[in-house]
Amino acid sequence: MTASSSSSKQTISLEEWKSKMAEVPIAKSDLNQLIMNYLIIEGYKDAAEKFSEESGLHTSVDLGSIEERMKIRYAVQTGDIKAAIERVNDLNPDLLDTDPRLYFHLQQQHLIELIRMGKAEEALEFAQEELAPHGEEHPELLRELEKTMALLAFDVAGNGSSPLGD
């Protein structure tokens, strides 16, 4: 195969697409599991409980924890990473100890929030004290930390744009 043919895309008609899709067997249990996963991930506790009841599908996820999970997600989305970490620890005290990458990413987000608020000195101190040790323990995280630290070189609050912002 040549380089030009490997990059070209095949176009098919809508009818052909529908025909091919109709040939794919999809088990009802797989579809139900997909729906249940969506309801849980998006925080639709009542709908997940009702769907579980009606479909007979049982999940390993504690549906009662969905509300707390949504509070964690909201805290992250609003930049309140410390509150998110506290809520994670309340929900599952061992999680951040057993998943150091998750803890690193939460701390990384806190660093991003400090940079976003223009607190460069506090961000540098935080990176040195909290994130650098993770990079030493997990070298694959160093590149992510370096990219995050590069944000300090740009005026994030102003009109400056970062080539790492993608």
Side-chain angles (χ1 to χ4, degrees):
M1 186 182 292
T2 65
S4 62
S5 65
S6 67
S7 64
S8 64
K9 293 182 181 180
Q10 179 183 4
T11 305
I12 62 173
S13 68
L14 179 60
E15 294 78 27
E16 186 178 356
W17 172 257
K18 287 180 179 180
S19 172
K20 287 183 185 254
M21 290 304 295
E23 294 172 10
V24 176
I26 300 174
K28 185 174 182 177
S29 62
D30 291 341
L31 192 55
N32 284 346
Q33 188 62 53
L34 181 67
I35 293 167
M36 179 60 84
N37 287 346
Y38 172 80
L39 294 172
I40 290 170
I41 289 169
E42 292 302 317
Y44 298 113
K45 178 186 175 209
D46 295 338
E49 288 172 340
K50 189 72 172 167
F51 186 73
S52 175
E53 185 180 301
E54 290 180 4
S55 67
L57 182 66
H58 300 287
T59 179
S60 61
V61 174
D62 174 18
L63 296 179
S65 71
I66 290 177
E67 289 176 32
E68 194 59 33
R69 290 171 181 231
M70 292 302 99
K71 290 176 184 176
I72 292 168
R73 180 164 73 179
Y74 180 77
V76 170
Q77 289 173 336
T78 59
D80 192 356
I81 307 306
K82 288 183 180 183
I85 290 172
E86 287 177 17
R87 289 185 180 281
V88 167
N89 284 328
D90 290 345
L91 188 63
N92 185 344
D94 298 327
L95 181 62
L96 297 178
D97 292 333
T98 58
D99 191 346
R101 285 172 182 77
L102 174 61
Y103 186 61
F104 171 83
H105 288 296
L106 285 169
Q107 295 285 59
Q108 181 185 32
Q109 187 62 42
H110 181 67
L111 175 62
I112 290 169
E113 296 302 327
L114 289 172
I115 295 168
R116 183 178 289 150
M117 291 184 286
K119 298 179 178 180
E121 288 182 32
E122 190 177 337
L124 284 170
E125 185 178 317
F126 180 79
Q128 289 173 337
E129 293 176 6
E130 300 294 333
L131 290 171
H134 289 285
E136 292 172 7
E137 293 173 25
H138 304 282
E140 68 276 11
L141 299 175
L142 274 177
R143 179 69 182 132
E144 290 185 53
L145 178 55
E146 289 170 356
K147 287 175 75 173
T148 305
M149 294 305 294
L151 294 173
L152 286 168
F154 300 95
D155 179 15
V156 178
N159 292 329
S161 63
S162 166
L164 302 173
D166 55 341

